[in-house]
Structure formats: structure tokens, C-alpha cells
Amino acid sequence: MKHMARPRTAAALTVLLATSVALTACGGGKEEAVGAGGKSDKANSSATAVKDPIVTTYDGGLYVLDGTSLEVAEDISLEGFNRVNPAGDDRHVMVSTSTGFRVMDAVGGELTDVEFKGSKPGHVVRHAGKTILFSDGTGEVTIFDPAELGSSTPKSETYSSDAPHHGVAIQLADGKLVTTLGTEEKRTGIKVLDEDRKEITRNEKCPEVHGEAAAKGEAVVIGCEDGVLVYKDGAIKKVQSPTEYGRIGNQAGSEESAVVLGDYKQDPDAELERPEKISLINTETGKMRLVDLGTSYTFRSLARGPHGEALVLGTDGKIHVIDPDTGKVEKKISVLDSWKEPLDWQQPRPALFVRDHTAYVSDPTGKKLVAIDIESGEQLAATELDQAPNEVSGVTAH
């Protein structure tokens, strides 16, 4: 492997760990997961600690990289289609396998024996100091404090949905739980539960409900095939899409902005729609704005910058930096060559992960990972990998 790093400013050299509401996407592992045991002594050794680790998946394993230099610290074998999400602290990453959500000690560079078992592990959400897991195969929601992650399984609360479905849940600062409604055949909306898990309100006018994001003021946005639901100040409101079919299934929010970034698909009959418009949902006004980027993107393309900027990695190889309030594309940062989304959603395609002021972009075709300073557009580091990277994630602290 070749590793290339460019000089950085003192500010850029420090990769700060900040709260981010992560983009979650669909699906779970399909094959049997093998490999990796519990922690060894090296996990606690400062000599082997990985600084601000970044984790990428590839077909048959995981790379753990130094967040500044992008030097590969560990190459971990793990069969099957695996997925990665921040666990919510500054040390761990959640790895979704065929049997559940496995905890990785990313700083120690290895998987632990701690696992939240569940069929078809799906969305991982971090909000208000809690991490929330949703197992699609059972409909079970698991809530825990990521600060308690370590060599043993932390205390957790579970809630069982009425039926298994591909869903998502988020717990608010006051303990209320917003969770999806549906079955394996049909998803219809959301309900809100109080701290004792008694239902407060619900809305079932959200066909094929999918994905979530939280905005400034703890407004929660949930996607539908014809718009979004917004839960704020105790009430659920529907924001309708401007077209008859306007599917928003993936969202990215920021505590710095009242506007949520979403995808936008308009063709219900497409085998694979490659959308060129994105949606901006203002949770204060209840208005939706569509922005035509002139390039397509995928469900791994959406993120938010440190000041609430809306970021979209286009198939033109550029990160489009958008003012969420005006919809203006303020700049385009060239990162990769142009690329095309594969038909199979599990096949590798470039992915965008943002931590503080740094954007990390995977490049499966070039077998590379690149770090970009969002404000200057400067490439901070790049590394060539032996295997094509797919998803990219890392540690983040609340």
C-alpha cells in the first residue's frame, strides 16, 4: 500500500471530534460473519493506538486508518457484506454483520466480543447522548449510552415495534422516542412515545417511511414517498413534495441548521433512478426547496459541514457545497474522476463521511481514500488500498 500525505496547517492537522447526525442507509449483512475475537492488551496500549480512526469496509474485511495520515493501521478479515457507523464516542464504531451490531474498538484496531444481536441490523442513530439501533428482522429498538461501551455490553433499553420492518428510531433529549410504523410489506408512518413508552401521537400518512435526521431545535425529519414528516414541539406535520411522487429516503441534519438535506426521486417506475435534484426541508417554515445539481448522486453522498453546510458528493467527482437557507451551490470541490452508480446497492460506490472540518471520500475504482479540508478544498491526505473501499465511517463524540 502507498500512503500520501500533504502538509497541513496547524488547524487542519487537528481532527476534532464533533457531534454529527450521521447519514444512515438501508440494509444489513447477508452472509455469515467470521473472524475477530475480543480485545487484547494492545487495545489499551498507547504505542498501538490509532489516532482519530477512520474505518472503511471492503469485500471480506475492514481497514482501520489513522484519521490524519490515512495510514492503514489494521486490516481485519470479516466475511460477508458488512456496514459501519459511528458508535457515538471517541473510540468505537458499530459494525453491522449478519448476526447483529458488532462493536469495534477502532482506537485499538480490532473487533470486540460485544455484540447487540439482531436479525437484519439496519439503522444506527446517534442523538442527545444516546445511540439507537434498529433491527429490521425483529423490529426491536435498542438504546444505550455510548460512554458505557467497553469490554462488556453496556446497559440498554429495548422497545419492540408492532411488527418487523425496515425502520428507524431516535430518542430525544427529554426521553421521548420517535419510531417508524410498518410491516415487512408496507411502511406507513411514525409514532411518538413518552418516557414510559406510552404513545403520545402518531401519523400514518407517510407511505414507505424511510430515514431520519435531526435539525436545530431538535426537529426530527422522517422521509416518505411524497414528502416528509416533521416532529417538533410535540406535533407531527407533513411537508408535501412538490411533485406527485417525490421520494425522500435519505437525510442529513445538523444542529447548526434548521434545514435538513434530503435526496429526491421522482420516477416510481425506475429500476434505478439516478436523481439530480436534492431537497432542502426547512423545519421552521415547513417549506421544501428543490435544487438541481446537474449531476447525480447516491444514498452515500449526503453529509453536513461544520457550519451546517449541505454537502453532496456527485457522480461528477465533486463535493457540492450548498447554502441550506438559499439553495445556492457556493462551491464545488474536485475529489474524484466522474463515476456511475452501480445497479446493486451493495456494490461499492464512492461514499462521503464528514468529521468536523474534514471530508473523507472513498474511491472504489481507484482503490483510494481521500481526506479533504471542506473550507479550503485542499486535499489533506490520500492513501492507496489493496482492496476497493465501500462504506467509510469513523469515531465521533457527542
Side-chain angles (χ1 to χ4, degrees):
M1 303 178 190
K2 300 176 183 177
H3 308 286
M4 301 162 284
R6 292 178 57 180
R8 305 169 115 178
T9 64
L13 275 169
T14 302
V15 182
L16 298 176
L17 301 175
T19 301
S20 68
V21 178
L23 161 97
T24 54
C26 354
K30 300 292 183 183
E31 302 175 35
E32 182 66 19
V34 294
K39 291 184 179 180
S40 70
D41 291 339
K42 76 172 185 176
N44 299 313
S45 169
S46 60
T48 59
V50 184
K51 183 182 178 183
D52 300 329
I54 292 294
V55 179
T56 68
T57 63
Y58 65 85
D59 186 10
L62 304 150
Y63 289 123
V64 182
L65 306 97
D66 181 286
T68 300
S69 68
L70 295 188
E71 180 179 355
V72 175
E74 295 291 341
D75 181 352
I76 300 170
S77 296
L78 189 66
E79 291 182 4
F81 178 72
N82 305 298
R83 315 202 64 193
V84 286
N85 285 283
D89 68 351
D90 59 3
R91 187 175 188 99
H92 298 92
V93 168
M94 303 302 297
V95 181
S96 301
T97 73
S98 63
T99 59
F101 300 92
R102 189 90 174 265
V103 177
M104 169 186 278
D105 177 1
V107 172
E110 59 186 1
L111 286 163
T112 74
D113 287 331
V114 177
E115 181 181 31
F116 296 89
K117 290 190 177 296
S119 171
K120 299 180 182 177
H123 286 270
V124 178
V125 175
R126 301 165 319 284
H127 183 75
K130 299 293 184 181
T131 300
I132 305 95
L133 314 175
F134 198 103
S135 293
D136 296 345
T138 62
E140 186 172 80
V141 177
T142 303
I143 305 158
F144 67 91
D145 183 347
E148 296 180 2
L149 286 170
S151 58
S152 60
T153 304
K155 293 185 301 181
S156 63
E157 175 198 346
T158 59
Y159 169 78
S160 294
S161 303
D162 296 336
H165 64 282
H166 179 50
V168 67
I170 177 172
Q171 180 168 293
L172 305 183
D174 61 4
K176 292 186 179 69
L177 185 71
V178 182
T179 187
T180 50
L181 295 163
T183 66
E184 292 180 348
E185 291 75 35
K186 187 178 182 181
R187 304 192 302 275
T188 57
I190 63 171
K191 62 180 176 180
V192 182
L193 310 173
D194 66 15
E195 295 171 89
D196 298 320
R197 301 309 177 229
K198 294 180 181 179
E199 184 173 328
I200 300 171
T201 185
R202 70 167 56 198
N203 184 304
E204 295 188 66
K205 296 180 179 179
C206 185
E208 293 308 297
V209 58
H210 187 273
E212 65 72 42
K216 186 177 181 180
E218 213 172 31
V220 176
V221 173
I222 306 287
C224 318
E225 282 191 344
D226 57 357
V228 299
L229 297 180
V230 179
Y231 177 71
K232 183 181 180 183
D233 299 330
I236 304 172
K237 296 181 180 180
K238 179 71 175 281
V239 178
Q240 200 74 26
S241 293
T243 56
E244 182 177 354
Y245 178 87
R247 182 181 186 275
I248 299 170
N250 299 282
Q251 308 89 35
S254 168
E255 293 183 350
E256 302 295 323
S257 173
V259 178
V260 164
L261 165 67
D263 57 0
Y264 197 80
K265 294 187 175 183
Q266 301 177 76
D267 185 357
D269 301 317
E271 178 183 13
L272 173 66
E273 183 175 354
R274 295 182 171 93
E276 296 193 356
K277 291 181 179 179
I278 54 97
S279 56
L280 296 170
I281 303 101
N282 191 313
T283 60
E284 292 181 343
T285 65
K287 303 292 185 181
M288 182 188 303
R289 181 197 303 270
L290 300 183
V291 178
D292 192 338
L293 297 180
T295 185
S296 63
Y297 58 92
T298 80
F299 67 91
R300 293 195 184 125
S301 294
L302 308 181
R304 302 303 290 266
H307 308 294
E309 311 96 315
L311 306 176
V312 182
L313 176 64
T315 56
D316 57 358
K318 299 175 182 178
I319 297 174
H320 297 246
V321 182
I322 305 158
D323 184 324
D325 295 316
T326 65
K328 179 183 178 182
V329 179
E330 296 184 320
K331 62 181 176 182
K332 301 177 184 179
I333 304 172
S334 295
V335 184
L336 311 173
D337 293 333
S338 60
W339 51 281
K340 186 176 182 180
E341 179 182 4
L343 288 173
D344 182 352
W345 75 271
Q346 292 188 356
Q347 288 299 306
R349 82 282 313 281
L352 173 65
F353 172 70
V354 172
R355 186 169 60 195
D356 192 55
H357 296 263
T358 303
Y360 298 90
V361 178
S362 61
D363 177 6
T365 301
K367 295 184 179 179
K368 294 192 303 182
L369 184 69
V370 181
I372 300 291
D373 182 88
I374 295 168
E375 287 164 325
S376 70
E378 177 190 6
Q379 178 175 299
L380 302 173
T383 189
E384 294 181 6
L385 304 166
D386 291 337
Q387 304 291 333
N390 196 350
E391 291 196 340
V392 55
S393 188
V395 300
T396 61
H398 283 285

